[in-house]
Amino acid sequence: MGSLDTKKDELTVLVTGFGPFKEQYPVNPAWEITASLPDYLPADRVKDPAHQAPANLPAVRIVKDGPVRVNYEVVRDLVPTLWDDPDQKVDYVVHIGMAGPQPVYAIERRGHRDGYNKLDVDGQLLRDEQRRKLEGDKWIWHGVPEELLTDLDIENIYKRWVERSPDNLKLQISEDAGRYLCDFIYFSSLAHLYKQQRPRKVIFFHVPLHSDAESIGRGRELALQLIRSICETGLK
């Protein structure tokens, strides 16, 4: 009886990570970090008791999906399945993607509908400008704003995330996810929820391009602290 109640009350966070990005990045740290995450958020190990997780934080299940191919059509087909699977309750989604070489970890506030002019890994363009003209009100994002913001309390999440992370790391809130596949998967999630009039409980996490063991370990810990911060903020 008790175990059934625990299962019912637990939160589920779905995490995606992209696969290889062209020949120069055969290993994408986004997927390596995602794949390394445990099935459940570990017990809180914060040093400062003031930052201890709330006593009422339920078990947090972590579901991993990927590696996601760096391809526009693959992402467009994938996103609805993440949110609409009748067999899997999802409370939050965290998309993880690779940024540049700078040692910066960023959470993205907004996604963008337009401006995807770069080829994906299969040499394909999105071509949504042409689709919009041809399909009119049947275009997938017809009536969706040019920008969409997460409904998560990103300021509070960021504050908690920074408090739980090493002081020597640069963590920031970003306003531009780059208008490539990272931005595209984020906006795809935001737009899917917007169209269904559902809370946009999704965030994008950008990590540096380094894929050595130390970098993956650091990214894994930051991802776990981000998940914890999201879940704690959602309780308030």
Side-chain angles (χ1 to χ4, degrees):
M1 182 79 175
S3 61
L4 287 174
D5 290 343
T6 301
K7 197 78 173 174
K8 178 182 168 185
D9 293 339
E10 73 181 17
L11 295 171
T12 299
V13 179
L14 190 150
V15 184
T16 72
F18 280 108
F21 174 57
K22 301 185 178 178
E23 291 180 6
Q24 62 266 46
Y25 302 111
V27 177
N28 192 324
W31 174 244
E32 298 304 309
I33 290 167
T34 302
S36 74
L37 295 172
D39 292 336
Y40 279 86
L41 188 66
D44 202 3
R45 298 191 306 272
V46 68
K47 294 177 182 176
D48 184 350
H51 298 153
Q52 197 78 20
N56 60 339
L57 183 68
V60 178
R61 181 169 171 247
I62 301 173
V63 177
K64 285 87 74 175
D65 197 292
V68 179
R69 189 163 183 80
V70 184
N71 173 292
Y72 292 113
E73 293 306 313
V74 168
V75 168
R76 182 159 269 173
D77 290 342
L78 171 69
V79 165
T81 70
L82 302 178
W83 290 102
D84 297 344
D85 183 349
D87 297 322
Q88 179 169 277
K89 173 183 76 85
V90 173
D91 296 288
Y92 304 102
V93 168
V94 178
H95 296 300
I96 304 181
M98 180 181 78
Q102 296 82 7
V104 176
Y105 296 83
I107 49 176
E108 302 290 342
R109 190 192 306 269
R110 68 191 71 228
H112 301 90
R113 186 190 66 191
D114 307 323
Y116 295 95
N117 301 316
K118 300 172 191 168
L119 299 172
D120 63 23
V121 293
D122 296 306
Q124 301 299 311
L125 289 168
L126 180 59
R127 303 189 189 282
D128 257 14
E129 293 298 325
Q130 294 94 317
R131 293 187 199 195
R132 192 186 319 184
K133 291 174 185 173
L134 286 171
E135 298 172 12
D137 60 7
K138 291 184 172 58
W139 178 52
I140 187 170
W141 288 341
H142 176 75
V144 177
E146 292 181 20
E147 289 187 350
L148 285 172
L149 278 64
T150 179
D151 279 340
L152 298 177
D153 184 351
I154 197 167
E155 301 291 348
N156 196 338
I157 290 168
Y158 176 72
K159 179 175 178 291
R160 289 172 179 271
W161 188 40
V162 168
E163 287 172 348
R164 292 178 170 278
S165 302
D167 293 337
N168 62 335
L169 297 180
K170 187 173 181 183
L171 312 181
Q172 64 184 36
I173 297 174
S174 167
E175 306 292 345
D176 185 359
R179 285 182 169 84
Y180 192 47
L181 267 296
C182 292
D183 207 340
F184 186 72
I185 196 171
Y186 192 26
F187 189 83
S188 295
S189 267
L190 291 164
H192 184 72
L193 298 169
Y194 175 87
K195 288 170 65 178
Q196 294 187 345
Q197 298 183 314
R198 292 164 63 186
R200 298 190 292 277
K201 294 184 176 182
V202 55
I203 204 165
F204 194 94
F205 177 32
H206 254 134
V207 301
L209 57 77
H210 310 293
S211 57
D212 58 278
E214 183 180 353
S215 296
I216 299 305
R218 184 185 307 118
R220 175 184 184 274
E221 188 58 32
L222 286 171
L224 288 172
Q225 297 300 356
L226 177 59
I227 290 168
R228 191 184 304 281
S229 300
I230 290 168
C231 293
E232 287 180 8
T233 301
L235 292 177
K236 297 184 81 66

